[in-house]
Amino acid sequence: KAGFSGTKNERMFELMDGFLKNDPVSLQKDILHHVEYTVARSRFSFDDFEAYQALSHSVRDRLIERWHDTQQHFKKKDPKRLYFLSLEFLMGRSLSNSVINLGIKDQCAEALSQLGFEYEVLAEQEGDAALGNGGLARLSACQMDSLATLDFPAWGYGLRYQYGLFRQIIIDGFQHEQPDYWLNFGNPWEIERVHVSYPVKFYGTVKEEIVNGKTSKVWIPGETVEAVAYDNPIPGYGTRNTINLRLWAAKPSEGHDIESYNTGDYINNIVNRQKAEIISNVLYPDDRSYQGKELRLKQQYFFVSASLQDIIRRFKDVHGNFDEFPNKVALQLNDTHPSISVVELMRILLDEEHLGWKKAWNIVRQVFTFTTHTVLPQALEKVPVDLFESVLPRHLEIIYDINFAFMEELKKKIGQDYVRMSRMSIVEEGAVKNIRVANLSVVCSHTVNGVSRAHSELLKTRVFTDFYELWPAKFQYKTNGVTQRRWIVVSNPSLCALISKWLGTDSWIRNVDYLTRLKEHASNPDLQHEWRMVKKINKMRLAEYIETMSGVKVSLDAMFDVQVKRIHEYKRQLLNILGVIHRYDCIKNMEESDRRKVVPRVCIIGGKAPPGYEIAKKIIKLCHAVAETINNDEDVGDLLKLVFIPDYNVSVAELVIPGSDLSQHISTAGHEASGTGSMKFLMNGCLLLATPDGSTNEIIEEIGAENMFIFGAKINEVPALREQESTVKSPIQFARVVRMVKDGYFGYKDYFKSLCDSIENGKDFYLLGSDFTSYLEAQEAADVAYVDKEKWSKMSILCTAGSGRFSSDRTIEDYAEKTWGIQPCKLPS
Ligand code: GPK
């Protein structure tokens, strides 16, 4: 034992007596160590990517230390834990976020520069972890950051897709999808846990057995797949707490199907085993429309089953029975996607733990909380009963039992109102019988949350009215938020420094309330001047990116007007493009002398269309066709440019948002449940041109309508407008620009026909025509404001100053207190 005579633990301590050090020299040693031994390159010759890898591993080591301590601390304290179940997490890059939260960015930068590398360049080497589609998935990521920062004992659970959200490439203006095989170059941010794995069962039959004199159901599966854990440490900011995001990957199950190996078809049997991995292969890219696909149901059950086995194992390590379960476990359903977990928990308690129905049901009803993210009826998941019966036969039985009990309860409360009962039933009768997953989630959760006040009102009055009348207290809302760590500190370092300088503190990074103090300085010419300088730096970065990506040179004096988000009809990118056409048309028809008065604009649009969504893809093509015409028109020059930014994702957002002057959030009122992009722009001092929808209403409350450009119908006006839509003629300006598209002014006449038809009088469901005039007025107001530099700067500062309420820290604190009932559990520092 190399001359050592103490105990094993003492020896361990002697060998490793402290944490890794964060001074630049220690970091340099670690980086070189990883260059040599992890990346296996010579320390005398390695490139930017290899340096990124070595740096990431050095940062990861530090994350692991904190992660271990946090897990042990939670174990010791055994607090009530939150388990955040989500099929999607849009984490983006990890390096830049980790070094900020660990507080070692400057040290890393210094360490690297002496080695001849630039931190910013290395950070750019990392690809995005894009295990999600859009707002919902990025919200999960922001909330994980807040959970860690606020020291909550939380775990995230999800799926480790091998293919994340598709990459969008544009050929001739058309979107093409390419696979995102993001693990190609390794992923230093995850830790594979080969020993943390659970079998997950599918198909098969259900039998009855007598156990201890009682009949019990036994599910005999037709297929078993192994779920293996991959842990992703999530560091908090300004705390040592580092929580875990555990993602499951599907692997062939050991020991399963031994028999078939005796048939002699060895190779084929191996090949068949590999098919198990399909389950966690690919993320479904069509957010908000579910076609009852078997693979999707298998993905949902797979991650839920593994997570619950893990959660119950952890609980049972400490507790002998389930009495304490509701006091120790909160299970958050992020939309309906993980909702099969309510049935799975029932099954485990009934069939495996042999609790009685009443006791099991009582537990289930106390642990689940449900957040819904939409009002669109097509997004409410339904699963055909036949499919359910084949994939999860025992679960279907339990759903029927839950529904039966619910219907009995309902009858007692509302009498024999069968029409209402059939609306509320978890099972939808009809030619094809379906399971209504949303109803299941509402029935089985103790709290149902909307994502903004307006959304919550719509849930009560339109989507879940029957349920709201039955259980009014169940319905709450928590307005979404975003993390200022990523959306200011990581993505806008110049603004971050400026804010801290003027506030005399960086406390706002942990406590956003401080941001309101910026209001006091909003009219200060010095701050305004520095504020504009910061914007300019960010606009330069963005302009360079635009030139590289699209070849279009843009003027920094122009107003950068941005709409970036998934492409959907209800988000009305088409309204934006028609507005651009109108602007173009006006410039073309102007006297030369009037052109001098035009406020120059760069209109920027970015976003992915779901691969099967025809109209959304046509909108992308239209944007390119219009851009082609405008950008090459010498009459127009720098007065107007239109650019489409391809492959919009988290890291592109980090570049685009800080560089924008104006951003558009222009959904038809009543369709955007919340919207979180607007909050990121707000934080970065970009003015908002928006409809009064979702969270916008609350932004208006916070910063005042006079500091925004609000237009269009209000939520309550939309239904009537829709009724009248076919009888009210759309404004001539609208008719004119639609005609230009229809007549082939931008080419592709036949291709755009159906797009134009979709907004024709009588078919304009999203009310582009009806909102067009007020949209143009709002755009004009933005032009006028932009010319007045002082006024614009003041408005911009007030945006940032008022953005504190839209931090995910606020959302999470609210959830912790009112929905989950959890307390912080902070590691001693
Ligand atoms: C809502 F239903 C869905 C969905 O499938 N995907 C998705 O990103 C969004 N959302 C809403 O559209 C936004 O309004 C909201 O801010 C976001 O979820 C987070 O709640």
Side-chain angles (χ1 to χ4, degrees):
K1 279 207 177 169
F4 185 79
S5 58
T7 64
K8 192 170 115 193
N9 275 358
E10 282 163 357
R11 177 66 174 151
M12 299 293 184
F13 194 76
E14 193 187 64
L15 290 169
M16 250 176 101
D17 68 343
F19 297 118
L20 294 171
K21 300 199 170 43
N22 292 328
D23 59 282
V25 176
S26 306
L27 279 162
Q28 280 173 343
K29 284 186 183 159
D30 289 350
I31 292 167
L32 289 190
H33 178 92
H34 281 298
V35 166
E36 286 271 349
Y37 302 112
T38 307
V39 185
R41 294 290 298 177
S42 157
R43 65 189 177 284
F44 301 106
S45 156
F46 56 101
D47 64 16
D48 282 341
F49 182 70
E50 288 148 2
Y52 153 73
Q53 288 179 302
L55 173 62
S56 298
H57 278 280
S58 310
V59 174
R60 163 199 164 114
D61 291 344
R62 285 153 177 82
L63 290 174
I64 289 175
E65 288 179 337
R66 294 167 178 233
W67 184 90
H68 274 146
D69 289 355
T70 309
Q71 297 313 321
Q72 250 169 29
H73 186 65
F74 290 171
K75 200 166 177 180
K76 196 168 98 199
K77 296 277 171 183
D78 191 33
K80 181 173 186 183
R81 288 169 168 92
L82 165 72
Y83 295 107
F84 189 95
L85 308 180
S86 179
L87 210 50
E88 300 190 9
F89 290 91
L90 208 39
M91 303 303 285
R93 289 174 175 155
S94 281
L95 175 64
S96 45
N97 186 67
S98 298
V99 299
I100 290 289
N101 282 14
L102 293 171
I104 58 169
K105 184 179 164 192
D106 293 342
Q107 296 91 314
C108 286
E110 195 182 327
L112 288 166
S113 92
Q114 289 174 1
L115 299 177
F117 291 90
E118 207 181 315
Y119 166 76
E120 271 76 21
V121 174
L122 300 201
E124 297 272 311
Q125 300 292 314
E126 185 176 353
D128 277 29
L131 306 185
N133 275 285
L136 174 153
R138 181 55 225 178
L139 184 76
S140 312
C142 282
Q143 294 189 338
M144 288 302 287
D145 182 77
S146 291
L147 283 163
T149 299
L150 300 172
D151 302 308
F152 284 113
W155 285 62
Y157 277 108
L159 257 189
R160 181 181 179 269
Y161 302 103
Q162 291 203 308
Y163 293 88
L165 183 60
F166 66 87
R167 304 251 173 93
Q168 177 192 55
I169 57 160
I170 305 289
I171 302 175
D172 278 342
F174 292 98
Q175 166 176 302
H176 292 253
E177 299 89 31
Q178 294 209 327
D180 168 50
Y181 194 70
W182 68 297
L183 297 166
N184 239 347
F185 297 101
N187 175 14
W189 305 106
E190 66 181 9
I191 302 149
E192 185 184 15
R193 299 275 176 217
V194 282
H195 292 297
V196 182
S197 80
Y198 300 95
V200 178
K201 303 180 267 187
F202 297 99
Y203 309 109
T205 50
V206 180
K207 291 214 171 112
E208 282 192 356
E209 252 178 28
I210 310 284
V211 182
N212 299 334
K214 281 197 254 168
T215 40
S216 180
K217 299 277 188 162
V218 180
W219 174 22
I220 299 150
E223 180 186 329
T224 304
V225 174
E226 205 67 17
V228 179
Y230 286 76
D231 289 343
N232 300 259
I234 311 288
Y237 179 93
T239 171
R240 285 181 48 76
N241 277 45
T242 298
I243 58 175
N244 195 15
L245 169 60
R246 181 160 277 181
L247 302 178
W248 301 104
K251 298 273 155 80
S253 157
E254 276 309 316
H256 169 63
D257 218 15
I258 299 275
E259 264 313 295
S260 60
Y261 285 86
N262 300 330
T263 60
D265 196 357
Y266 174 72
I267 297 293
N268 251 328
N269 286 326
I270 296 281
V271 171
N272 279 333
R273 272 168 59 86
Q274 300 303 335
K275 288 192 184 142
E277 292 175 12
I278 289 174
I279 292 177
S280 58
N281 247 7
V282 54
L283 165 80
Y284 275 86
D286 317 79
D287 59 341
R288 298 150 241 248
S289 67
Y290 303 97
Q291 289 119 20
K293 290 275 184 336
E294 178 174 278
L295 182 57
R296 172 79 173 184
L297 179 63
K298 286 180 85 172
Q299 288 188 335
Q300 295 183 344
Y301 179 65
F302 173 78
F303 109 86
V304 153
S305 163
S307 306
L308 277 177
Q309 291 183 64
D310 202 39
I311 291 163
I312 290 175
R313 179 202 40 79
R314 191 170 304 118
F315 175 80
K316 280 178 144 188
D317 275 350
V318 187
H319 300 273
N321 61 44
F322 279 85
D323 295 349
E324 281 295 296
F325 198 73
N327 299 325
K328 293 293 175 187
V329 173
L331 289 163
Q332 165 69 15
L333 305 172
N334 196 30
D335 218 285
T336 53
H337 319 154
S339 292
I340 184 69
S341 56
V342 300
V343 190
E344 173 65 358
L345 182 59
M346 264 317 262
R347 188 192 67 79
I348 294 171
L349 296 177
L350 293 171
D351 299 356
E352 292 177 11
E353 303 293 338
H354 303 291
L355 266 57
W357 176 275
K358 244 184 154 165
K359 208 165 179 182
W361 183 230
N362 191 32
I363 291 172
V364 167
R365 278 196 140 173
Q366 289 183 71
V367 294
F368 285 100
T369 57
F370 167 51
T371 296
T372 166
H373 296 262
T374 186
V375 285
L376 303 185
Q378 69 267 33
L380 297 177
E381 284 185 289
K382 285 180 189 176
V383 182
V385 163
D386 290 349
L387 177 66
F388 227 107
E389 190 163 25
S390 136
V391 180
L392 301 168
R394 176 60 183 137
H395 295 77
L396 185 63
E397 291 183 357
I398 294 173
I399 289 179
Y400 281 145
D401 290 345
I402 292 175
N403 200 38
F404 180 77
F406 169 52
M407 289 290 127
E408 290 299 304
E409 187 186 328
L410 197 55
K411 234 188 271 172
K412 276 191 207 139
K413 289 220 173 115
I414 66 165
Q416 318 263 327
D417 184 347
Y418 288 110
V419 178
R420 183 164 170 206
M421 280 168 67
S422 85
R423 281 199 307 260
M424 295 176 78
S425 171
I426 297 167
V427 185
E428 179 184 63
E429 302 291 341
V432 181
K433 254 182 150 187
N434 281 306
I435 301 301
R436 294 172 174 142
V437 190
N439 291 18
L440 175 73
S441 316
V442 175
V443 170
C444 300
S445 303
H446 65 75
T447 306
V448 177
N449 268 293
V451 287
S452 71
R453 193 203 306 131
H455 179 224
S456 165
E457 285 311 308
L458 290 171
L459 292 178
K460 293 175 186 175
T461 55
R462 295 193 199 162
V463 188
F464 294 127
T465 316
D466 292 313
F467 289 101
Y468 174 61
E469 281 169 14
L470 182 66
W471 297 310
K474 232 187 223 205
F475 287 78
Q476 304 181 354
Y477 73 92
K478 310 279 174 289
T479 301
N480 285 164
V482 301
T483 167
Q484 67 271 28
R485 266 82 59 188
R486 180 166 300 250
W487 296 109
I488 302 179
V489 185
V490 171
S491 63
N492 198 343
S494 325
L495 185 66
C496 175
L498 185 62
I499 295 172
S500 298
K501 178 184 148 191
W502 279 79
L503 294 182
T505 171
D506 62 5
S507 301
W508 59 274
I509 302 175
R510 266 185 73 91
N511 181 354
V512 269
D513 292 345
Y514 283 93
L515 279 183
T516 47
R517 294 196 197 162
L518 275 176
K519 272 189 203 160
E520 297 159 25
H521 311 289
S523 301
N524 184 313
D526 295 333
L527 173 60
Q528 289 195 355
H529 176 72
E530 291 174 38
W531 199 263
R532 283 193 291 270
M533 295 314 284
V534 165
K535 184 57 77 185
K536 188 131 195 193
I537 294 171
N538 290 319
K539 283 175 81 169
M540 269 159 64
R541 277 203 306 172
L542 177 52
E544 268 173 37
Y545 186 74
I546 289 174
E547 195 175 346
T548 326
M549 298 311 288
S550 62
V552 180
K553 251 196 160 64
V554 297
S555 156
L556 293 182
D557 294 327
M559 184 203 299
F560 283 17
D561 160 356
V562 178
Q563 187 182 19
V564 280
K565 46 185 89 229
R566 286 299 288 263
I567 314 284
H568 275 278
E569 283 166 280
Y570 86 81
K571 293 181 188 282
R572 299 200 294 191
Q573 283 91 354
L574 185 52
L575 177 62
N576 187 352
I577 299 169
L578 293 175
V580 174
I581 298 177
H582 173 78
R583 185 172 283 265
Y584 172 66
D585 190 38
C586 289
I587 297 173
K588 287 291 279 183
N589 294 315
M590 242 175 227
E591 295 290 325
E592 186 68 41
S593 57
D594 285 334
R595 287 207 180 133
R596 259 174 272 140
K597 292 185 214 141
V598 172
V599 181
R601 285 247 189 166
V602 178
C603 300
I604 299 163
I605 297 179
K608 295 178 185 179
Y613 192 167
E614 197 65 28
I615 296 269
K617 289 187 141 174
K618 291 196 177 195
I619 291 173
I620 292 179
K621 175 62 189 172
L622 179 63
C623 182
H624 284 90
V626 174
E628 178 79 18
T629 305
I630 295 179
N631 298 345
N632 295 310
D633 191 329
E634 283 176 7
D635 288 350
V636 175
D638 274 346
L639 295 185
L640 182 62
K641 291 275 181 252
L642 174 61
V643 281
F644 186 89
I645 296 204
D647 203 36
Y648 180 65
N649 60 19
V650 177
S651 51
V652 174
E654 288 177 42
L655 182 77
V656 170
I657 293 171
S660 322
D661 294 305
L662 181 76
S663 73
Q664 299 198 34
H665 310 277
I666 56 177
S667 52
T668 315
H671 288 74
E672 193 67 272
S674 164
T676 47
S678 54
M679 301 169 181
K680 298 161 196 167
F681 283 100
L682 195 69
M683 281 184 177
N684 282 277
C686 308
L687 273 55
L688 268 49
L689 191 148
T691 46
D693 200 12
S695 59
T696 313
N697 292 302
E698 291 162 66
I699 298 179
I700 296 174
E701 256 171 36
E702 199 61 26
I703 70 164
E706 69 281 9
N707 290 311
M708 305 168 70
F709 307 101
I710 303 296
F711 76 97
K714 301 200 166 57
I715 296 178
N716 293 331
E717 297 166 352
V718 165
L721 285 170
R722 244 176 214 157
E723 293 271 302
Q724 305 155 12
E725 205 272 312
S726 55
T727 53
V728 181
K729 250 183 135 3
S730 44
I732 28 174
Q733 291 159 315
F734 183 73
R736 182 176 161 83
V737 290
V738 176
R739 181 100 338 261
M740 283 170 79
V741 178
K742 234 180 164 166
D743 286 351
Y745 194 101
F746 306 100
Y748 301 88
K749 196 169 150 185
D750 295 339
Y751 181 73
F752 291 138
K753 184 175 179 301
S754 62
L755 188 58
C756 296
D757 290 349
S758 76
I759 47 171
E760 217 168 50
N761 241 206
K763 287 189 235 153
D764 186 11
F765 187 75
Y766 293 105
L767 300 174
L768 279 69
S770 144
D771 275 350
F772 198 64
T773 309
S774 66
Y775 177 66
L776 296 182
E777 285 164 7
Q779 286 287 15
E780 223 175 286
D783 282 333
V784 172
Y786 191 71
V787 178
D788 185 345
K789 275 202 163 72
E790 283 73 35
K791 181 180 173 189
W792 186 275
S793 302
K794 183 177 172 191
M795 288 168 86
S796 168
I797 295 167
L798 290 175
C799 283
T800 306
S803 66
R805 175 167 158 196
F806 306 99
S807 163
S808 44
D809 294 350
R810 192 259 315 132
T811 317
I812 286 298
E813 271 175 335
D814 215 13
Y815 265 109
E817 187 195 325
K818 302 206 187 76
T819 301
W820 301 325
I822 54 166
Q823 306 282 332
C825 183
K826 189 176 171 67
L827 258 184
S829 42

